[in-house]
Amino acid sequence: MSRDSIDTLLNFIDRSPSPYHTVAASKKLLDEAGFTALVPEETLWQLKADRAYYVPVYGSGLVAFRTGRDIRRHLRLSAAHTDFPALRIKQRPEIREKGYLKLNAETYGGLIRESWLDRPLSLAGAVALESDDPFRPKLRLIDLEKPVLTIPRLAIHMNRKTNQGIELNPQKDLLPVLGLDGKDVTKHFFLDFLSETCRCLPEAILSYELTVYPAESGCRLGWHDEFVSSPRLDNLTSVLASLLALVGADEADGLNVVALFDNEEVGSHTKQGADSAVLSRILGRIYHAFELTDDDLSADLAKGFMLSVDVAHAIHPNVPEKCDITNQPQMGRGVALKIASSQSYAGDAEAVAVLKGLCRKADIPYQIFMNRSDLPGGSTLGSLLSANLPIRTMDIGIPITAMHSCRELMGAADQDALTDLITAFFSHS
């Protein structure tokens, strides 16, 4: 495992406490690598061969691509998602109760609720400010970068059954505490708090999309630093590996694309989600910029390939029986190739063979992940994308434990393996 690669991953995660910040961190990485930013609103993109570009998608998504000498040589895509299970602050969130200042919040995605208790929490996201043009409010990204919230657990003396497991009501039990009430606290104390952060008048704030996140950095862990413990491994491991692979494939021919979508954790049915037309429209614009036709794109999709990159379940050290009886990915043993007859993962026999061939050719460790037959798992981007954009697809990812917890665990060596595999995928002629 490379210590530099883990430092890069942890730094990227620190700079990505919300989907908006993930895109900002991605843009910074691409800018430093010489990529050119495109404006979605422009009618015609002026594209050239052997160049690198990216286009933002509604602030929380992004599509980046490299054009080779001949973009029709091959079409390869790597897709990942920028969002993660968390708490989101509701509108008009102020709650004053029994001397406490609390915020009304809602769950986003399938988070493990109990894992958010008793942690130092912070806030990050986008705040929309009033401008001269109502159709173009000013969008300001904020990250408090310090603990300001917490959700205290009820003491065992007041709930003797707490160690037997408790059900947490998100409308009652997951409301974060911001502070203590006092005479100087106004009715709209959260708006005052936001206006101080944004350095604007409270009335200038029209709306916001704010994510609660754990104010704890990730770290190496284990006797020989063989683990990484961190928030948001799902799915920032995949985002970073895809971006670094695209940056590294600077001599590859054809058209190589990284698509980063938002809202995977809530179904992807949004304008910036994988179950939208955004990727097909962007591909169409790229082809038209090179004076190619829709038929050219359809032909290249038919022979192209896409990776859907998202984390997989590693076998659990204390509950191994939850894993399939013959396919049991281990942390630190390589990339998981995800297979499901239900097509919750999009691979078919040929797609699996392609990935195994790439791994063997480049000496990259890999494993097979399949769910227990009596324990259906989740799904990800692959099936949705390949249904809307007919292209052979394979789901892959790093095996982790504690998926959807406030803090997750992975094998440190697997990040290099994932980056190497996606690089080989883009680079192989």
Side-chain angles (χ1 to χ4, degrees):
M1 92 187 141
S2 165
R3 291 188 66 88
D4 288 343
S5 67
I6 296 305
D7 287 343
T8 300
L9 173 63
L10 293 177
N11 180 264
F12 185 79
I13 290 172
D14 275 346
R15 292 186 287 117
S16 305
S18 80
Y20 289 95
H21 287 81
T22 299
V23 169
S26 300
K27 289 164 65 175
K28 184 174 186 295
L29 187 157
L30 296 170
D31 286 337
E32 291 173 350
F35 281 61
T36 299
L38 300 173
V39 179
E41 295 88 350
E42 286 183 351
T43 304
L44 181 65
W45 290 340
Q46 302 294 329
L47 306 181
K48 297 180 179 180
D50 276 329
R51 294 289 196 277
Y53 304 91
Y54 70 82
V55 54
V57 179
Y58 296 107
S60 59
L62 180 141
V63 174
F65 57 95
R66 278 191 178 279
T67 59
R69 294 179 300 277
D70 174 12
I71 73 164
R72 299 208 63 198
R73 181 69 178 269
H74 69 234
L75 174 58
R76 299 202 181 131
L77 303 99
S78 181
H81 63 88
T82 61
D83 61 323
F84 50 91
L87 295 169
R88 296 277 178 92
I89 301 300
K90 288 185 175 181
Q91 304 296 307
R92 301 177 61 192
E94 295 91 352
I95 302 171
R96 303 174 75 165
E97 187 175 53
K98 307 300 182 183
Y100 293 105
L101 303 176
K102 300 190 297 183
L103 298 180
N104 195 6
E106 60 184 338
T107 57
Y108 176 89
L111 73 164
I112 299 177
R113 297 173 185 177
E114 186 272 341
S115 69
W116 287 77
L117 303 182
D118 300 329
R119 290 184 182 272
L121 304 171
S122 193
L123 275 177
V127 179
L129 304 177
E130 187 176 28
S131 72
D132 294 334
D133 183 353
F135 281 92
R136 293 183 178 275
K138 297 176 183 176
L139 203 65
R140 184 170 300 176
L141 298 193
I142 66 166
D143 179 7
L144 300 185
E145 297 183 315
K146 66 176 183 178
V148 292
L149 303 169
T150 193
I151 306 172
R153 190 189 308 265
L154 187 63
I156 193 171
H157 314 80
M158 300 176 182
N159 181 8
R160 295 291 180 178
K161 296 183 178 180
T162 189
N163 288 326
Q164 300 174 25
I166 58 171
E167 182 178 352
L168 296 173
N169 184 319
Q171 188 60 77
K172 180 180 185 298
D173 301 316
L174 294 182
L175 301 182
V177 176
L178 177 65
L180 296 173
D181 203 353
K183 294 180 180 179
D184 58 339
V185 176
T186 67
K187 179 181 178 181
H188 301 294
F189 61 85
F190 184 66
L191 202 60
D192 294 339
F193 174 74
L194 271 190
S195 67
E196 290 178 11
T197 302
C198 295
R199 297 180 180 178
C200 68
L201 295 174
E203 53 267 27
I205 298 174
L206 300 177
S207 187
Y208 51 78
E209 196 172 309
L210 295 174
T211 296
V212 178
Y213 73 91
E216 304 166 315
S217 294
C219 66
R220 296 182 185 85
L221 187 148
W223 188 15
H224 298 294
D225 288 342
E226 56 262 70
F227 298 115
V228 174
S229 169
S230 177
R232 304 185 292 285
L233 296 178
D234 178 8
N235 189 33
L236 297 186
T237 54
S238 305
V239 170
L240 182 61
S242 296
L243 292 171
L244 291 178
L246 186 65
V247 168
D250 55 351
E251 296 183 2
D253 208 356
L255 177 61
N256 291 325
V257 182
V258 167
L260 306 179
F261 298 98
D262 194 4
N263 305 130
E264 189 275 342
E265 300 292 357
V266 291
S268 297
H269 308 297
T270 63
K271 64 188 182 302
Q272 63 271 24
D275 195 24
S276 73
V278 65
L279 181 55
S280 61
R281 296 291 175 84
I282 289 175
L283 289 174
R285 296 189 69 178
I286 295 170
Y287 270 63
H288 294 162
F290 283 95
E291 299 183 347
L292 298 169
T293 67
D294 291 342
D295 285 343
D296 292 325
L297 174 56
S298 294
D300 290 350
L301 286 169
K303 63 183 180 182
F305 206 107
M306 177 165 59
L307 298 178
S308 167
V309 194
D310 202 350
V311 293
H313 295 289
I315 189 168
H316 195 281
N318 296 329
V319 199
E321 64 272 16
K322 291 294 184 179
C323 206
D324 182 57
I325 60 175
T326 60
N327 299 284
Q328 302 179 342
Q330 299 180 31
M331 290 185 282
R333 299 292 179 87
V335 181
L337 312 185
K338 301 160 69 174
I339 306 171
S341 297
S342 67
Q343 286 296 288
S344 56
Y345 306 127
D348 56 19
E350 185 170 339
V352 175
V354 168
L355 267 294
K356 284 187 176 181
L358 281 173
C359 287
R360 291 179 180 183
K361 190 174 183 64
D363 197 24
I364 297 166
Y366 69 90
Q367 312 172 75
I368 299 297
F369 171 78
M370 299 186 77
N371 287 301
R372 277 184 63 104
S373 300
D374 57 355
L375 191 65
S379 60
T380 184
L381 305 171
S383 294
L384 294 172
L385 278 170
S386 59
N388 292 327
L389 190 74
I391 184 172
R392 177 160 274 118
T393 301
M394 185 68 197
D395 280 281
I396 66 171
I398 286 177
I400 71 170
T401 56
M403 189 186 296
H404 286 199
S405 176
C406 196
R407 196 174 182 103
E408 299 162 325
L409 186 70
M410 64 176 274
D414 295 331
Q415 187 67 25
D416 277 343
L418 182 64
T419 305
D420 290 345
L421 176 53
I422 304 174
T423 302
F425 168 76
F426 282 144
S427 301
H428 189 76
S429 60

